[in-house]
Structure formats: C-alpha cells, structure tokens
Amino acid sequence: MSAGGKHLKDEGSRQQVIIAGGIAGLVSRFCIAPLDVIKIRLQLQVHACRPLRPSAHGAFATAKRIFRGEGITGFWRGNVPAELLYVTYGAVQFTAYRSVSSFFSQTQMPSSASAFASGALAGATATAATYPLDLLRTRFAAQANNRVYATFVGSFLHIAREEGARGFFQGLGAGLGQIIPYMGAFFSVYEGLRPVMADMQLPFGSGDAAAGIMASTIAKTSVFPLDLIRKRLQVQGPARARFAGGVVPEYGRGVWKTGRAIISKEGWLGLYRGLSVSLVKAAPASAVTMWTYERALRELRTLEVLQHVDIWGG
C-alpha cells in the first residue's frame, strides 16, 4: 500500500500519474481480455432469457464456441484497439482524477462527496476522449471469423467513409450515463476502503487489490444495463448484420428507446445478459489495475528519489 493509505490525489507528480495509469491499463487489459471478449459476445445475444435453466448460450458455451471456431487467439480478438483504449483511458482517468480531486480538496466539500464527484468527472473525461477506441474494441470482438475489418487502420477508414464522424460515437450517451455513476461510486468506495485495508496489513500488499475488487463489484452491478445498451448501439450501422452472427436488431436512436426494445423482446433480464462474466472480469481487472498503478507509481517515485540523490550526492 502506497504511502500507508493516503488519498490518490496526494501521490506522485502529473507525469508519474500518467505513466503509472498507462502501465496499469496495459497490464490489466492483457490479463482480462478473454473474459472481455466472452462478455461482449453474451451482451450481443438477443434470445429470451430463461432464469435457472441451462442455456446453450451461456458463458461456458460461448467460450467453447470461440475456442473451437477461432482458436485461442479468438479470446484476444480486438486486442490492439483495446490495449490502446486501456492505456489511454488509464492515463487520462488517473490524471483527471488527481487534478479534479486536488481542486475539490481546496473547497469545503466532504471527502466522500469529493471522491464521488472526482471519480465521475474523471470517468466522463476518459470515456469521451477514448470512445472511438472503445467502439472499435467492441466491433472487433463481435466480428468473429466473419471479418468486417481486416486491420485496425482499415477499420478507422471504413467507419469514416461509411458512417462519418458520428459513427465513432454511437452509444456515447449510454457510455457517459454508465461511467459517471460507475466511476463516482468506484472511487468513493475505493477511497473509503483503502485506509481500512492499509490498517489490516493484508499479505503481499493486497489491500489495494481487495479494495478495488469490492469497489468495482458494487459499482459495476448498479450500472450494468447501460453497459449492455452501449454495446448494442456500438454495432449499429451499415455493417450491423455482419456482427455477432447478424442477430442484433436495428434500434432507434437513443438509450431509452433501445432499452425499451430490449425489454419488450428479451425481458428485464435481457438488460443483465453477461453480468456474471462482467463481475468475474471486473474484480481481477480492478484489482490488477489498482495494484499495478500503486506499484508503478511507487517505483517511479523511488526512481525519482534515487536520481535526485545521484545528482546532488555526486
């Protein structure tokens, strides 16, 4: 645990925060890529949900189909835009959080409210800045062997030509509607648990990871329907019939219209398709992200101190 449980805004320079956030995003993405691909495939299924009944469309069945049809590399489909997304998102998110929370610390706002507002604004900033990469990640993960895009650069050119600039931001409303409460809740819970975990002296410095797991699970469950709606909207457009086996319907514009269409055809449970995989993914992703961020930041600060000693110590 860095600094014995101090708040994130009090740690590291701006450059160190950017580098540590980027490293955390890169490591986290590679570790959870297979679960992310499975979750996206589940979210794009449109059959009626039948609770407590075995399903040929569940997580394990989906994983088997990916492995048999696409091989082991299928679990890392879309990894190039995803890695760029996670590195950029992580750097922007932690930088924005540090800046905003430092500003709020000069006001009379309670610490819990400051953590929530800082997390929400940081999440919204990072989501808007990296959204085209998020859309491409979803489309690459959804195309399976029926390739719509052959290369990363080709995907940019195809969308720009066929859908225009607006095509890169389909579902952004749902993304912002999801990420603002999610990141607000995540950082609020994380900052509250972090000092407690530091006092518990957990082995291997796992307090950051444990706090990240609990914060992510609570936040993810509360906003999951918006995540599913975002994924459905991201594959809309001229190539919609070529994604996810061509089963995703054409939805009217807007988050609420899409949500109502999903409920009418799939029931309320349709909004939570893939939640179990999302929670399984969210726990290690948040744990790896926060653990890596804290360690990377610590190493960067140690390196800075050693360089300072070398310069002034001769």
Side-chain angles (χ1 to χ4, degrees):
M1 175 72 68
S2 62
K6 291 191 336 186
H7 291 296
L8 291 174
K9 69 178 185 296
D10 301 322
E11 301 178 7
S13 66
R14 183 179 297 275
Q15 184 179 24
Q16 290 169 342
V17 168
I18 293 174
I19 295 173
I23 292 172
L26 185 70
V27 174
S28 175
R29 165 62 203 179
F30 185 82
C31 292
I32 56 88
L35 290 173
D36 200 36
V37 171
I38 294 171
K39 186 201 77 156
I40 290 173
R41 298 285 179 91
L42 288 171
Q43 288 180 310
L44 297 179
Q45 294 176 5
V46 295
H47 59 86
C49 289
R50 294 180 175 84
L52 305 180
R53 295 186 186 181
S55 174
H57 305 280
F60 289 109
T62 300
K64 284 182 181 179
R65 282 195 295 273
I66 294 172
F67 182 73
R68 290 174 180 173
E70 306 167 48
I72 192 68
T73 57
F75 291 104
W76 276 268
R77 194 174 293 280
N79 199 50
V80 172
E83 289 287 6
L84 291 173
L85 166 65
Y86 275 60
V87 170
T88 309
Y89 189 98
V92 174
Q93 175 191 23
F94 283 108
T95 303
Y97 182 81
R98 182 178 182 273
S99 299
V100 175
S101 58
S102 295
F103 170 78
F104 282 139
S105 68
Q106 302 173 19
T107 67
Q108 300 299 316
M109 182 181 292
S111 59
S112 58
S114 173
F116 186 96
S118 299
L121 290 173
T125 301
T127 296
T130 62
Y131 195 80
L133 291 171
D134 183 44
L135 182 137
L136 287 176
R137 181 269 306 265
T138 297
R139 293 193 176 187
F140 270 100
Q143 68 181 0
N145 287 325
N146 182 24
R147 291 199 169 188
V148 180
Y149 312 121
T151 65
F152 176 65
V153 175
S155 66
F156 261 100
L157 297 176
H158 185 278
I159 294 174
R161 182 177 64 252
E162 299 293 331
E163 305 174 49
R166 189 171 187 171
F168 290 104
F169 294 93
Q170 292 198 67
L172 177 60
L176 292 176
Q178 169 204 356
I179 204 65
I180 290 175
Y182 172 79
M183 294 310 303
F186 175 82
F187 276 107
S188 182
V189 175
Y190 180 74
E191 292 281 25
L193 290 175
R194 199 161 167 252
V196 177
M197 295 299 177
D199 293 338
M200 293 176 67
Q201 298 295 317
L202 296 176
F204 308 111
S206 58
D208 296 323
I213 288 172
M214 287 185 276
S216 180
T217 300
I218 293 170
K220 178 70 71 174
T221 303
S222 63
V223 300
F224 189 78
L226 286 170
D227 184 61
L228 183 137
I229 292 171
R230 174 167 59 100
K231 292 295 187 295
R232 299 283 181 94
L233 290 174
Q234 284 179 330
V235 296
Q236 299 293 302
R240 172 184 54 81
R242 299 172 65 187
F243 292 114
V247 298
V248 179
E250 182 175 0
Y251 298 113
R253 292 191 181 278
V255 174
W256 296 113
K257 287 183 178 179
T258 302
R260 286 199 300 268
I262 293 171
I263 293 170
S264 66
K265 183 173 182 178
E266 306 168 45
W268 283 96
L269 288 178
L271 293 173
Y272 292 89
R273 197 184 301 278
L275 175 61
S276 59
V277 177
S278 182
L279 292 178
V280 170
K281 184 197 82 165
S286 295
V288 171
T289 297
M290 301 312 297
W291 190 89
T292 304
Y293 174 79
E294 299 284 359
R295 267 75 206 156
L297 187 60
R298 177 189 294 176
E299 293 301 321
L300 290 169
R301 296 177 70 190
T302 300
L303 182 62
E304 181 185 45
V305 171
L306 291 176
Q307 290 176 336
H308 184 78
V309 171
D310 288 340
I311 291 174
W312 297 104

